[in-house]
Amino acid sequence: MKEKDITQKVLEDNNDIFADIVNVLLFDGKPEVEENELVNTTVYSQYKAEDGKVHEQERDIAKYWKKEGTDIVLYGIENQTKVEKRMPARISGYEGASYRGQCDKKTIVPVITMVLYYGTDRKWTAPKYVNDTKANVFEIAWLTDEQIAKFTSDYKIVANFFVNKRKNKDYIPDDKTTIKHVDEILKFLSVMTGDNRYEEILSDKEGVSNMCDVAQRLEDRGIEKGLQKGREEGNQMIYSLVEDESISMEKGAQKLGVSVEKLRANMINAGYKCPDME
């Protein structure tokens, strides 16, 4: 689970991706935040529970937006694949700790947390407020084409993928946009969709430059698995023909969907003697 959590954060931790998300979702596409103005900060904080014990909490990603050496905003990103009814309370804990950590500074800057929801089955239905704490939830799979067009980083590929996945569960990636962060994109999709095939492509990712390439690799792997299954079933049928003389060549060929001549040739090549051979 820890490895999965780390994987889903790697993509968005890239400053170009992070800045793009902030600019589109909070500034309507205006390039307010530049990637070289973002500085990582700790994602860990502690709190004392009702049992008197000190616990540690960890948020997904946190970065300061700095201009000319001055802190402007502390941005945080939280990823969700499922609706979390306690999200406002969690955010209250994260932001409270961040404000508490600024008490020794001359100026306290705003803390803004963005919840990126990747669910495709239903929209966010949980409360977004607890007292005065708001959960800024962005339903990625429900972004409009206009919003998606405003992204300038690889995150456009991510947003486009989830929007299409919501509309069609059997969506085959057809985005020809060149991918900059190939490893991060494939691992992110693998974690957020639960489909390990995306990460498996990393073993032979050479030549993958866009999602069309990814789709082709998925198709190739599917065909290869189908052929392998067919070979295994064919070998089993050949073994059955050899062991059980009651199975005729005609019946065996029919079950395999091949001609008797083809089955006979395969058996001979495999070193077996056909039932109708003298």
Side-chain angles (χ1 to χ4, degrees), residues 81-134:
T81 56
K82 297 181 179 179
V83 176
E84 171 58 76
K85 64 180 181 180
R86 297 182 178 85
M87 204 69 219
R90 282 177 51 190
I91 290 174
S92 180
Y94 297 146
E95 295 185 350
S98 296
Y99 281 120
R100 179 65 182 84
Q102 298 184 65
C103 286
D104 59 345
K105 297 183 178 181
K106 293 182 178 180
T107 304
I108 294 180
V109 303
V111 181
I112 299 176
T113 301
M114 306 171 63
V115 179
L116 304 185
Y117 172 58
Y118 292 96
T120 57
D121 294 328
R122 60 170 176 161
K123 299 194 73 174
W124 187 274
T125 55
K128 296 184 180 181
Y129 283 91
V130 56
N131 291 335
D132 292 329
T133 301
K134 177 184 178 182

Side-chain angles (χ1 to χ4, degrees), residues 129-242:
Y129 283 91
V130 56
N131 291 335
D132 292 329
T133 301
K134 177 184 178 182
N136 296 299
V137 179
F138 296 94
E139 299 162 314
I140 305 304
W142 276 267
L143 293 179
T144 65
D145 291 341
E146 182 181 5
Q147 287 175 303
I148 294 176
K150 293 175 181 177
F151 288 109
T152 59
S153 70
D154 280 355
Y155 199 74
K156 176 186 287 187
I157 299 169
V158 172
N160 184 61
F161 176 89
F162 280 96
V163 168
N164 281 285
K165 199 70 173 174
R166 171 181 62 84
K167 296 177 180 178
N168 177 14
K169 298 300 181 185
D170 299 320
Y171 167 65
I172 298 175
D174 58 356
D175 194 332
K176 296 182 180 180
T177 305
T178 300
I179 303 174
K180 177 181 178 182
H181 305 284
V182 176
D183 280 52
E184 292 93 329
I185 286 285
L186 293 178
K187 288 179 179 178
F188 184 84
L189 292 180
S190 181
V191 169
M192 302 309 280
T193 64
D195 190 338
N196 293 329
R197 293 179 304 163
Y198 291 103
E199 188 166 3
E200 291 173 358
I201 294 176
L202 290 173
S203 62
D204 58 350
K205 65 170 183 164
E206 185 176 350
V208 172
S209 61
N210 55 49
M211 291 304 291
C212 289
D213 293 336
V214 171
Q216 184 61 54
R217 294 300 175 89
L218 293 177
E219 182 181 3
D220 291 345
R221 294 179 77 87
I223 291 174
E224 178 56 35
K225 287 183 179 180
L227 291 174
Q228 178 62 31
K229 182 179 180 181
R231 286 193 291 268
E232 292 174 356
E233 292 178 348
N235 289 337
Q236 182 62 40
M237 178 56 68
I238 290 175
Y239 178 77
S240 298
L241 281 169
V242 174

Side-chain angles (χ1 to χ4, degrees), residues 47-107:
Y47 66 96
K48 183 178 288 188
E50 292 182 357
D51 58 8
K53 296 181 179 180
V54 176
H55 300 266
E56 184 174 71
Q57 58 184 2
E58 177 187 0
R59 64 188 317 168
D60 287 348
I61 308 169
K63 293 178 184 283
Y64 273 105
W65 175 27
K66 293 176 176 281
K67 290 183 76 72
E68 299 179 355
T70 301
D71 294 342
I72 306 299
V73 178
L74 172 57
Y75 287 116
I77 286 181
E78 299 299 318
N79 292 308
Q80 287 292 129
T81 56
K82 297 181 179 179
V83 176
E84 171 58 76
K85 64 180 181 180
R86 297 182 178 85
M87 204 69 219
R90 282 177 51 190
I91 290 174
S92 180
Y94 297 146
E95 295 185 350
S98 296
Y99 281 120
R100 179 65 182 84
Q102 298 184 65
C103 286
D104 59 345
K105 297 183 178 181
K106 293 182 178 180
T107 304

